[in-house]
Amino acid sequence: MNKKIIGSVILCIILVSCVIIARNMRKPKGLLADNDTASISNVVLHCSYAYITVTEQEDIKRIVDLLQSIKAEESRPSGKDGGMPLEIHFQNGEELGFGFLSEEITADGVCYRPDRDYCNDISNFYEEFSKKYTEEPA
């Protein structure tokens, strides 16, 4: 009888552990690691007809702060095209690409469902920075 009770307790502990692990894996997380903005050489913001390259560190920091504040869960792609592309270029030559749709963000090829729509934030950055940086045709 004691063996049955011990076995049941162990089984319960294993099941509870599995549930906790599964919940933590689906926990919303930021889309960008805590990178030092000094390691980023520029950020490219796109719209349908042009793009701008943001190069000043204080502007890059504002974009990175937004990306780090995004809470999102990994999800299946919706299959929708379009959206607002954003590219981060690091000084070591690496790049990280994002695509923003109202209910979906793609980060380096992985699809996420964000806690809210971030398209207006990206649009506002584009509008603000297009007055400061030169727009290039897409």
Side-chain angles (χ1 to χ4, degrees):
M1 178 114 153
N2 273 344
K3 288 183 181 182
K4 286 184 179 182
I5 292 173
I6 292 172
S8 296
V9 169
I10 290 173
L11 183 61
C12 286
I13 291 171
I14 291 171
L15 289 173
V16 168
S17 297
C18 288
V19 169
I20 291 170
I21 291 169
R23 273 190 163 171
N24 285 337
M25 290 179 71
R26 293 209 26 98
K27 194 175 207 176
K29 56 185 174 182
L31 297 182
L32 187 62
D34 290 334
N35 288 309
D36 179 14
T37 56
S39 68
I40 298 173
S41 59
N42 64 64
V43 176
V44 179
L45 300 170
H46 295 263
C47 74
S48 59
Y49 57 87
Y51 67 91
I52 56 173
T53 303
V54 177
T55 55
E56 290 187 17
Q57 284 299 308
E58 68 183 44
D59 297 333
I60 290 172
K61 181 173 179 2
R62 289 180 54 207
I63 296 168
V64 167
D65 286 348
L66 173 70
L67 295 174
Q68 289 175 336
S69 75
I70 293 173
K71 299 297 182 221
E73 291 183 358
E74 196 169 323
S75 67
R76 292 184 180 170
S78 67
K80 295 179 182 177
D81 288 334
M84 306 180 72
L86 180 150
E87 303 161 15
I88 296 178
H89 297 263
F90 295 92
Q91 291 182 1
N92 65 5
E94 291 182 26
E95 293 180 17
L96 182 59
F98 293 87
F100 289 84
L101 292 167
S102 60
E103 297 178 3
E104 179 178 288
I105 298 174
T106 304
D108 211 26
V110 179
C111 187
Y112 295 91
R113 183 155 319 281
D115 59 335
R116 67 176 181 84
D117 182 353
Y118 288 88
C119 290
N120 285 338
D121 298 284
I122 302 302
S123 290
N124 291 341
F125 278 142
Y126 190 93
E127 186 177 323
E128 177 187 343
F129 294 147
S130 65
K131 297 171 186 158
K132 186 175 186 177
Y133 299 96
T134 304
E135 281 186 307
E136 300 290 334

